[in-house]
Amino acid sequence: MASESSELDAEGHLSAAAAFLSDAERMVALRGTPNEARPGWIITAAFYASLHVISAYTFARHGVKVAAHRDRTDWFRDYPELATDRFAFVSLKKRSEAFRYYAEPVTWSGADEALSAARRMNAKWSDRTRKALGA
Amino acid sequence: MGNPARAAPPPPTASAVKQALDGVPGIAEVRFADGQVYVIRRGVDDARDDQIIRAFVELDFDDFHLVPLNMAGTVPDGVRVL
């Protein structure tokens, strides 16, 4: 889904964000069960939830479609209202990459913090997206 | 549709990265390679990684990687700055 995100409109990005956040929530709920996922996947789902909700906002508020991950790093320079979430976003991105690219072990507390950050960003930027859309 | 025109900021200097990360515990090596920065760390430490990430955010530089020590062999050759 994420690889096709440049084709999504704001509503599509909001749906994608909600789906990734739901994935993260379900993986947390499975902790301690035989179906437990590695916490790195929770960080990864949290990262994609945040990526899509900010994509939704930039599309709705600024008319920006993002074609590549590289362009997303410019959000925080181009739109000052996003600056307060730059650390949280970069943290999710870099921790997810370390897990996926380098098999970095991830702690449950790290996964919990990632999910909290994704919940907060999803609530904030989905609300602002809907306001920008006039909903 | 598109982002406003703007020049990408220049990458930080080696000395700026060294200054930003100096004193952060658990860093085995910091390497510049192919325009990117690889931070090779010992062990798992969420608070330490927060320090590293915050340092790069303050440097306005996103092309960095967090690498565990046991994967250091996968990092491209480059210039060691720390």
Side-chain angles (χ1 to χ4, degrees), chain A:
Chain A
M1 181 182 293
S3 63
E4 298 176 353
S5 61
S6 63
E7 303 303 320
L8 298 177
D9 61 11
E11 292 288 356
H13 280 298
L14 284 180
S15 295
F20 277 113
L21 191 59
S22 176
D23 289 342
E25 300 279 9
R26 279 185 282 115
M27 285 189 278
V28 167
L30 289 172
R31 181 179 178 181
T33 76
N35 292 323
E36 176 180 294
R38 287 182 292 158
W41 290 118
I42 296 168
I43 289 183
T44 298
F47 163 61
Y48 280 108
S50 68
L51 183 152
H52 278 287
V53 79
I54 297 177
S55 294
Y57 171 77
T58 56
F59 190 105
R61 175 68 181 80
H62 298 289
V64 173
K65 275 183 152 180
V66 177
H69 275 303
R70 165 131 209 99
D71 297 330
R72 292 185 171 103
T73 65
D74 293 330
W75 282 336
F76 301 98
R77 300 184 189 104
D78 293 338
Y79 309 117
E81 70 270 32
L82 295 173
T84 55
D85 281 324
R86 183 172 182 173
F87 170 77
F89 181 84
V90 173
S91 178
L92 291 174
K93 182 174 190 285
K94 297 303 176 180
R95 291 172 195 273
S96 172
E97 289 176 351
F99 167 70
R100 289 179 288 134
Y101 302 167
Y102 300 109
E104 173 111 298
V106 173
T107 65
W108 277 103
S109 65
D112 290 341
E113 285 183 23
L115 181 55
S116 294
R119 284 177 184 143
R120 182 185 56 73
M121 281 194 276
N122 193 64
K124 176 180 177 181
W125 295 109
S126 62
D127 180 63
R128 294 188 186 191
T129 299
R130 291 193 180 92
K131 286 177 180 168
L133 291 171

Side-chain angles (χ1 to χ4, degrees), chain A residues 63 78 94-95 104 107, chain B residues 1 6 41 46 50 60 62:
Chain A
D78 293 338
K94 297 303 176 180
R95 291 172 195 273
E104 173 111 298
T107 65
Chain B
M1 287 185 180
R6 82 184 113 61
R41 302 109 65 245
D46 290 333
D50 279 351
D60 193 20
D62 295 311

